[in-house]
Amino acid sequence: MKFCLPENITSAIFLRDYWQKKPLLIRNGLPQIVNMFQPEDIIELAQQEDVTARLIKQFSDNDWQVKCSPLNTNDFKGLPEKWSVLVQNLEQWSTELGELWGAFGFIPQWQRDDIMVSYAPKGGSVGKHYDEYDVFLVQGYGHRRWQLGKWCDPSTEFKANQPIRIFDDMGELILDEVLGPGDVLYVPSRLSHYGVAENDCLTFSFGLRYPNMADLLENVNKVICQTLPDIATTELHIPLRLTPAEQETGKLDSVMVRTMKQQFLDQLAESEQFEHLFEHAVATTVSSRRYDLLETEEYCDLDEVRSLLEENSTIVQDNNCKLVYLENPLRLYANGEWLDELNEIEAQVLKQLANGKRVDFAYLTSLCSQTEEPETALDLFIDSLCNWIDDGWVLLESL
């Protein structure tokens, strides 16, 4: 899929000059999204079971109310003039929308969070705020006015006693534009922004984020204690070597604690074992989904899958799944799971899919032909493929 960037801005230029530095307005950057959904589609979806949604009502500048899912028909009665409904993880409900992640393929897929949609009638908004993640705001229906202002940080104060994180002061505006259908606005993390519906409108937020320290530490701990305990039983279990200063017998000296901290960090930096453990922890963290996959009772048929492949259907990544790999040696991860029992054919196919490529029957037979028993290898792969489809990792698409 063609990237959504302007013709005069390559992915390299964007990453160098714009990413987390300054906003970028791209007129008609994603025309494929226009009229993909209507407002009533989103209002109806917000009321379905298993949907993560929020209904935000604004009665005045200092009176906001929020109700989280489950929502129902009564929640949409007697609404104030200004309100919005937000639905998370929309790619779960629309394969067609999920495919549009390809327009942002210049950003590694492990940074993808989810696609959120916001519906609002004229005047609707979620207030002036900032996010700790980067976002591409894509107008799919109607028009929304966006104002961008000051840079924020964790010390930025929000209004007290409000159910959402909003503030009044956006500082000097650096952008004030109305987006129409198909327009795209990149907003770096921590840049204040404020969107107000000019008329009935749908805005799709393609969110991208980095892992936080808490998640990394949690997964490092899991790796050391649970996932790879045998690897972590040597140098990581060697005690620190310290010389205490003269002190009261019950005192834990702060200087001693700082020394331990430095030794701890130094040993981690020098440990080859920890390097591998940390890679594994990072891959597990960034490939994890924030929202659970929907459970299905429908399972694909092995003979049908083989027939579709032979009839020129191709295998593509399901954009509900986050596929990540490490190299040297090749290790694949899907939705936070290390796929440590893949054979060579399976690993190569998933690597291709993770890089946004399609896999067809000719490529599969070529891989299998390099084995001692090509037909058996193909049968085993198709059996695995059925499991991947059932797990929501991949899809079959007709050309």
Side-chain angles (χ1 to χ4, degrees):
M1 177 178 290
K2 181 183 176 183
F3 293 160
C4 70
L5 296 172
E7 292 184 2
N8 63 328
I9 298 179
T10 65
S11 55
I13 291 174
F14 176 83
L15 293 173
R16 183 193 68 197
D17 298 340
Y18 292 90
W19 180 252
Q20 298 195 329
K21 295 184 181 74
K22 58 183 178 180
L24 177 64
L25 176 59
I26 311 165
R27 293 295 184 187
N28 201 36
L30 199 59
Q32 302 96 316
I33 205 171
V34 177
N35 292 328
M36 188 177 285
F37 293 89
Q38 302 294 315
E40 53 267 26
D41 298 329
I42 301 305
I43 294 174
E44 181 179 346
L45 180 62
Q47 300 173 53
Q48 291 190 23
E49 188 179 0
D50 297 325
V51 167
T52 302
R54 288 171 290 163
L55 179 62
I56 300 177
K57 306 175 188 178
Q58 181 184 1
F59 297 93
S60 70
D61 288 344
N62 294 302
D63 187 3
W64 297 72
Q65 291 182 11
V66 177
K67 182 176 181 183
C68 297
S69 52
L71 303 175
N72 57 51
T73 305
N74 290 332
D75 294 316
F76 290 87
K77 294 178 180 178
L79 292 169
E81 181 181 357
K82 298 178 180 180
W83 61 277
S84 300
V85 63
L86 285 64
V87 178
Q88 302 283 163
N89 193 31
L90 202 65
E91 60 266 59
Q92 176 98 309
W93 305 93
S94 170
T95 300
E96 185 181 15
L97 180 66
E99 291 174 354
L100 297 186
W101 269 121
F104 308 96
F106 48 92
I107 306 294
Q109 71 156 292
W110 59 262
Q111 292 177 228
R112 296 176 188 171
D113 190 17
D114 75 321
I115 305 174
M116 182 188 77
V117 64
S118 170
Y119 164 72
K122 182 178 181 179
S125 172
V126 296
K128 300 171 183 176
H129 66 285
Y130 79 92
D131 299 309
E132 288 287 358
Y133 56 87
D134 298 78
V135 65
F136 288 89
L137 300 166
V138 184
Q139 198 63 24
Y141 181 96
H143 299 77
R144 191 183 293 262
R145 180 184 179 185
W146 285 101
Q147 295 178 325
L148 309 183
K150 67 181 182 181
W151 291 93
C152 303
D153 59 44
S155 67
T156 301
E157 293 187 3
F158 295 98
K159 282 187 175 183
N161 303 317
Q162 295 298 329
I164 54 177
R165 301 196 317 164
I166 55 175
F167 45 67
D168 290 323
D169 180 21
M170 285 185 42
E172 182 179 354
L173 295 183
I174 61 173
L175 182 142
D176 189 347
E177 298 282 353
V178 174
L179 270 64
D183 290 344
V184 179
L185 176 62
Y186 165 65
V187 181
S189 61
R190 295 191 176 180
L191 183 63
S192 60
H193 49 284
Y194 179 43
V196 180
E198 296 279 294
N199 44 38
D200 275 16
C201 76
L202 296 175
T203 304
F204 296 82
S205 302
F206 290 73
L208 299 137
R209 69 172 73 223
Y210 290 105
N212 59 50
M213 288 288 290
D215 289 340
L216 282 176
L217 287 172
E218 179 182 358
N219 278 310
V220 166
N221 181 62
K222 286 181 180 178
V223 167
I224 293 175
C225 299
Q226 301 172 21
T227 312
L228 302 173
D230 294 338
I231 298 177
T233 55
T234 55
E235 61 187 70
L236 296 183
H237 284 184
I238 296 174
L240 302 175
R241 297 178 65 85
L242 300 157
T243 302
E246 186 177 356
Q247 58 190 286
E248 295 292 338
T249 187
K251 179 181 179 181
L252 177 59
D253 185 62
S254 60
V255 174
M256 182 69 71
V257 173
R258 288 195 296 270
T259 303
M260 285 187 194
K261 174 181 142 182
Q262 192 58 54
Q263 283 198 24
F264 174 79
L265 296 174
D266 290 344
Q267 287 196 24
L268 292 184
E270 296 169 3
S271 169
E272 185 175 339
Q273 289 185 352
F274 183 75
E275 187 74 19
H276 295 304
L277 293 172
F278 189 71
E279 279 188 346
H280 181 75
V282 170
T284 301
T285 303
V286 301
S287 64
S288 296
R289 288 174 46 85
R290 193 150 60 100
Y291 301 97
D292 292 335
L293 283 171
L294 292 175
E295 294 184 3
T296 177
E297 296 181 358
E298 297 181 7
Y299 299 100
C300 61
D301 179 82
L302 191 146
D303 292 333
E304 182 181 358
V305 168
R306 179 165 187 147
S307 177
L308 288 170
L309 284 173
E310 292 174 344
E311 294 170 3
N312 292 326
S313 287
T314 59
I315 309 168
V316 297
Q317 177 183 346
D318 188 329
N319 284 290
N320 282 307
C321 176
K322 296 178 75 173
L323 278 177
V324 173
Y325 64 88
L326 292 167
E327 290 188 315
N328 303 319
L330 179 62
R331 286 177 284 167
L332 276 296
Y333 298 78
N335 293 343
E337 178 185 354
W338 177 29
L339 312 180
D340 59 336
E341 296 182 354
L342 298 175
N343 61 39
E344 182 64 24
I345 293 173
E346 294 166 345
Q348 289 302 321
V349 168
L350 287 176
K351 180 181 177 182
Q352 294 292 317
L353 298 179
N355 285 327
K357 296 181 173 60
R358 293 175 174 267
V359 171
D360 59 17
F361 194 66
Y363 178 77
L364 288 177
T365 54
S366 174
L367 286 178
C368 293
S369 68
Q370 301 171 32
T371 66
E372 294 182 359
E373 299 182 42
E375 192 60 33
T376 299
L378 183 59
D379 288 340
L380 289 173
F381 175 80
I382 294 177
D383 185 58
S384 294
L385 176 61
C386 289
N387 291 329
W388 298 350
I389 295 171
D390 293 338
D391 289 339
W393 297 355
V394 303
L395 298 168
L396 287 181
E397 288 188 353
S398 301
L399 291 177

